[in-house]
Amino acid sequence: MVFASQNLSPEQRLADAGLFLPPPLTTANLFSPTSRDGHLVYVSGHVPKLGDTFVHLGKIGAEISAEQAKPIARQLALSCLASIKAEIGELARVRRILKMIGFFVAVPEFTAHSALLNSASEVLLSAFADAGQHARSAIGVASLPHGAAMEIEMVVAVHA
């Protein structure tokens, strides 16, 4: 993967890759899309939504193919970044992506969870280069809220 110039903002690097941030996640006010404590931002699990409508419902390997799931994971990473930007003002304040966790609803014989999460990891590396290098977990689950096929959450270190 080729990374854009370090002199560009993360948003410019994403745009150069043809990627753009969606509007930040909204919630029913029972929890926040992000929670900040000092230099750490915890990003709540993001599931695929268009406005207030949950999309990409079902199981990977049944209703959704692995190839169809990759751009969904990419969009969830962008959604998490939009929530981070809403919390800290600009993505240039991200010091490092520390951890990403992906949860995937899939048929029992599906074992390529990590390959799906690669699409989200590529977004982070495109935006932040070396600072986008992160620890991660890709986990298969039986179900997710609202019937979503996947959910992604993150932990990010930010500059003061």
Side-chain angles (χ1 to χ4, degrees), residues 2-146:
V2 177
F3 299 110
S5 167
Q6 293 292 336
N7 297 328
L8 299 177
S9 72
E11 291 89 346
Q12 290 168 318
R13 291 184 199 132
L14 289 170
D16 285 351
L19 302 170
F20 302 93
L21 297 179
L25 178 72
T26 58
T27 68
N29 295 323
L30 298 174
F31 67 96
S32 176
T34 57
S35 178
R36 183 173 179 183
D37 185 22
H39 297 290
L40 294 178
V41 175
Y42 295 85
V43 182
S44 293
H46 283 51
V47 296
K49 285 177 79 174
L50 285 175
D52 291 332
T53 304
F54 294 94
V55 296
H56 305 300
L57 310 178
K59 287 187 177 182
I60 299 163
E63 295 86 5
I64 299 171
S65 72
E67 283 308 306
Q68 291 170 317
K70 289 177 183 177
I72 300 168
R74 187 170 30 254
Q75 193 59 37
L76 287 179
L78 290 166
S79 181
C80 288
L81 293 181
S83 292
I84 293 165
K85 183 176 180 175
E87 175 71 32
I88 65 172
E90 58 183 272
L91 290 180
R93 293 190 55 216
V94 169
R95 187 166 47 88
R96 181 158 187 208
I97 306 294
L98 297 174
K99 175 94 176 178
M100 178 170 56
I101 304 172
F103 302 94
F104 301 92
V105 177
V107 296
E109 57 273 8
F110 184 81
T111 59
H113 306 83
S114 288
L116 299 181
L117 200 53
N118 285 345
S119 296
S121 291
E122 289 168 358
V123 169
L124 302 179
L125 293 170
S126 292
F128 302 107
D130 290 342
Q133 214 35 276
H134 54 279
R136 72 177 208 188
S137 299
I139 303 165
V141 297
S143 67
L144 287 168
H146 309 285

